[in-house]
Amino acid sequence: MLLLGIDLGTSSIKVSVTDSQTQKCLASAQYPDKESEIIALRPGWAEQSPEMWWEHVQQAILKCNATNLYNPKEIGAIGIAYQMHGLVLIDKDRNVLRNSIIWCDSRAVEIGNKAFDAIGNEKCLSEMLNSPGNFTASKLAWVKENEPDVYQKIDKMMLPGDFIGMKFTGEITTSISSLSEGILWNFKEDEISEEILKQYGFDKRLIPEVREVFSEHGRLKPELAAKLALRPNIPVSYKAGDQPNNALSLNVLKPGEVAANAGTSGVVYGVSDQLTYDKQSRINTFAHVNYTTQKKHLGVLLCINGTGILNRWVKNTLGSGNSYEQMNADAARVPAGSNGIRIIPFGNGAERMLNNKTVGAHFHNLDLNLHKSADIFRAAQEGIAFSFRYGLDIMRENGMNPTVIRAGKANMFSSEVFTKAFVNSCGIPVELYENDGSVGAAIGAGIGVGELTMENAFSNVKALKVVEPEAQEEYEVFYQEWRGLLAAHLDGLHNR
């Protein structure tokens, strides 16, 4: 059986077709070629069009089919990975009511903070394992408060992957994992959180039917199958947020295993079997893809909004048309420490690990007579690595002490400069894999239809490379200087 995996990212859609017997990717395609727009109507806001996502999903599938490297009629299941924490709203006719408020939007921070205090900090943390913060439930509360006409028309609220699943099948479903990332799940009672519904005044009917992550979420509509050259009625058998899916694709499924990802945002994601939480909600605990009420496997997630997006900004603004590969090569010629430049990368909305503060991105020690673009290229990558170290220290405070981290050799981890800065700053070896979110979604689809099992799905996966720390003392000096600069910015925000 062939398996179709879809990765709904912020920048683009990627799809892959994988052979279930070998777990080998036969073909991949990305659409569009340029990065998709993030709509920012006000500072701190971030939206995208769900209908744009759907159009791009279809175009990506057709583009992949056009490779002629497989027979589309042999695809037997579809899996979906998606950008987490977004809010999609539809009416009873399944029309989208407004743009999706996506993961890096900061508008609901204060609403979430008020709910945290009203419900009670300890109650929130012990039951939902998180503050309501800036997550999906709080975004829906923002719509209720600020766009009442839109709110009155809502039939269902969904996560981005639920919306794409609906477009494929006509069915509207969600999962415990998805609801937990929206802070709508009570882990203590293992049910939809009545406290959140009561606090925000939500009707429970707004929430879709809850199904297992690995299960049938509907079947492909015949008219859509014809358009995409697929067999009708094949199941959508897996839906998961991009970070749990990334962990799945790296075979991070057991307590103590840890994955990392450095795309537009940066993530460290560890698996735990404890109902753990950070008292300040700087890191977050969600239901992992293999969470069940009997076996509570949880994903402890550190998310840093301002990571790869800084590298993209540097490329677009200062790169003079250079590719990422050329930027990485230029950065590699600069000595560690970037000739003194330090960059704070937090310019993509409120940062949860900084107590939901919007710090912004900052350049320090820039000498207009000395520094060249290559110094900035390296300083950006080192600053991103330092932000990971800062977050990893918070995870260590909360009992997550990885001895190795698995990551795909992609995005920022395709840069030797970044990877070495990450390893030496954090003091932890990194295993690099040929890894892709859309392939992970395809594997998830195979597990969902019983074609694969958790035990055999990754039998052919081997590390490409292991990067060991080799200059920890040198990078510790650079990190402590960077950390002092960040502390000064945080103090400045506190004293305003």
Side-chain angles (χ1 to χ4, degrees):
M1 179 188 289
L2 301 186
L3 306 165
L4 173 62
I6 297 159
D7 186 9
L8 166 55
T10 310
S11 300
S12 65
I13 307 295
K14 187 170 183 182
V15 304
S16 291
V17 174
T18 299
D19 187 318
S20 65
Q21 289 191 324
T22 64
Q23 298 95 57
K24 297 294 184 184
C25 179
L26 303 180
S28 293
Q30 186 169 309
Y31 193 91
D33 294 329
K34 63 179 183 179
E35 295 175 342
S36 297
E37 178 188 14
I38 294 177
I39 302 163
L41 300 176
R42 295 185 187 179
W45 289 21
E47 301 182 358
Q48 285 186 321
S49 164
E51 294 293 354
M52 176 193 75
W53 297 336
W54 176 235
E55 178 60 27
H56 290 178
V57 165
Q58 296 174 85
Q59 292 301 323
I61 293 170
L62 293 171
K63 186 177 177 181
C64 199
N65 289 349
T67 64
N68 295 315
L69 295 172
Y70 60 91
N71 180 356
K73 299 296 185 185
E74 294 180 9
I75 292 172
I78 300 170
I80 302 168
Y82 60 89
Q83 49 172 291
M84 297 171 72
H85 314 305
L87 174 68
V88 181
L89 303 173
I90 59 166
D91 65 18
K92 59 182 175 58
D93 297 318
R94 301 190 177 179
N95 298 311
V96 176
L97 290 169
R98 67 172 332 279
N99 283 333
S100 172
I101 303 175
I102 65 170
W103 57 276
C104 55
D105 187 289
S106 303
R107 74 186 72 183
V109 169
E110 286 308 311
I111 288 173
N113 289 343
K114 289 177 183 176
F116 192 36
D117 291 337
I119 295 171
N121 294 11
E122 183 60 31
K123 188 173 181 63
C124 275
L125 294 173
S126 63
E127 295 183 0
M128 275 71 77
L129 307 184
N130 301 284
S131 159
N134 194 36
F135 295 109
T136 313
S138 298
K139 290 168 181 170
L140 179 58
W142 184 92
V143 173
K144 183 171 183 274
E145 184 175 313
N146 292 276
E147 299 175 351
D149 291 345
V150 171
Y151 186 82
Q152 290 301 319
K153 297 175 184 175
I154 298 171
D155 181 63
K156 289 289 182 285
M157 59 83 64
M158 293 180 283
L159 279 297
D162 299 332
F163 172 75
I164 298 301
M166 181 198 76
K167 297 296 279 189
F168 273 120
T169 69
E171 293 194 39
I172 306 174
T173 71
T174 192
S175 68
I176 292 174
S177 184
S178 293
L179 292 175
S180 73
E181 72 177 75
I183 320 302
L184 286 157
W185 191 256
N186 184 321
F187 286 94
K188 195 171 181 180
E189 304 296 334
D190 259 326
E191 62 182 23
I192 293 168
S193 172
E194 295 293 341
E195 287 288 350
I196 292 293
L197 297 181
K198 179 181 177 183
Q199 172 63 30
Y200 286 145
F202 297 158
D203 191 321
K204 200 172 186 177
R205 67 169 182 79
L206 298 181
I207 297 175
E209 179 186 344
V210 181
R211 297 185 186 174
E212 298 289 338
V213 169
F214 300 102
S215 68
E216 186 177 307
H217 292 271
R219 290 183 172 264
L220 183 62
K221 295 184 287 189
E223 65 274 18
L224 186 59
K227 179 179 179 181
L228 299 175
L230 303 174
R231 291 204 328 261
N233 298 314
I234 61 174
V236 171
S237 53
Y238 170 81
K239 292 189 301 184
D242 51 9
Q243 299 311 323
N245 178 73
N246 182 62
L248 169 74
S249 69
L250 290 165
N251 196 21
V252 171
L253 294 165
K254 299 175 184 176
E257 295 178 335
V258 177
N261 180 39
T264 304
S265 63
V267 168
V268 179
Y269 186 98
V271 181
S272 174
D273 56 3
Q274 304 296 313
L275 295 181
T276 186
Y277 56 87
D278 176 59
K279 290 185 177 180
Q280 298 179 51
S281 205
R282 296 167 297 174
I283 57 176
N284 303 104
T285 303
F286 308 121
H288 195 23
V289 292
N290 56 348
Y291 178 97
T292 66
T293 54
Q294 294 77 36
K295 191 174 285 188
K296 298 190 176 186
H297 282 177
L298 299 143
V300 181
L301 184 149
L302 161 75
C303 181
I304 311 164
N305 290 355
T307 53
I309 194 169
L310 168 67
N311 203 43
R312 184 176 76 186
W313 183 89
V314 168
K315 175 181 179 291
N316 293 343
T317 308
L318 305 173
S320 301
N322 285 344
S323 65
Y324 285 116
E325 290 76 13
Q326 184 59 54
M327 285 174 57
N328 293 340
D330 290 347
R333 288 191 283 271
V334 175
S338 308
N339 288 319
I341 298 179
R342 301 286 175 264
I343 297 181
I344 306 294
F346 306 122
N348 190 28
E351 293 285 357
R352 289 198 291 279
M353 75 171 185
L354 303 178
N355 301 106
N356 279 323
K357 290 184 171 62
T358 303
V359 175
H362 302 271
F363 287 53
H364 290 272
N365 307 329
L366 190 63
D367 187 324
L368 301 179
N369 296 308
L370 170 66
H371 293 122
K372 305 293 190 295
S373 58
D375 300 299
I376 296 174
F377 298 162
R378 182 171 190 118
Q381 296 196 27
E382 290 182 343
I384 294 166
F386 296 153
S387 72
F388 273 94
R389 160 65 189 279
Y390 187 93
L392 193 60
D393 284 348
I394 296 172
M395 295 186 80
R396 286 167 171 147
E397 288 175 27
N398 286 273
M400 185 66 65
N401 292 291
T403 56
V404 65
I405 291 175
R406 297 175 192 166
K409 195 174 187 298
N411 299 319
M412 297 296 298
F413 280 106
S414 64
S415 165
E416 186 174 350
V417 168
F418 171 77
T419 303
K420 286 185 174 180
F422 179 98
V423 165
N424 286 302
S425 300
C426 297
I428 301 172
V430 168
E431 295 177 351
L432 294 174
Y433 290 83
E434 195 69 52
N435 153 262
D436 182 275
S438 57
V439 174
I443 297 297
I447 296 171
V449 291
E451 187 74 10
L452 296 169
T453 67
M454 296 282 188
E455 290 69 35
N456 70 18
F458 304 96
S459 56
N460 296 318
V461 175
K462 307 294 180 190
L464 299 172
K465 184 180 182 181
V466 179
V467 183
E468 300 276 356
E470 58 184 18
Q472 284 182 256
E473 291 185 8
E474 181 181 25
Y475 274 88
E476 184 67 17
V477 173
F478 303 146
Y479 171 70
Q480 291 300 337
E481 181 184 346
W482 178 94
R483 190 172 184 275
L485 293 167
L486 174 60
H489 285 293
L490 292 171
D491 287 344
L493 289 172
H494 178 72
N495 293 326
R496 280 182 187 174

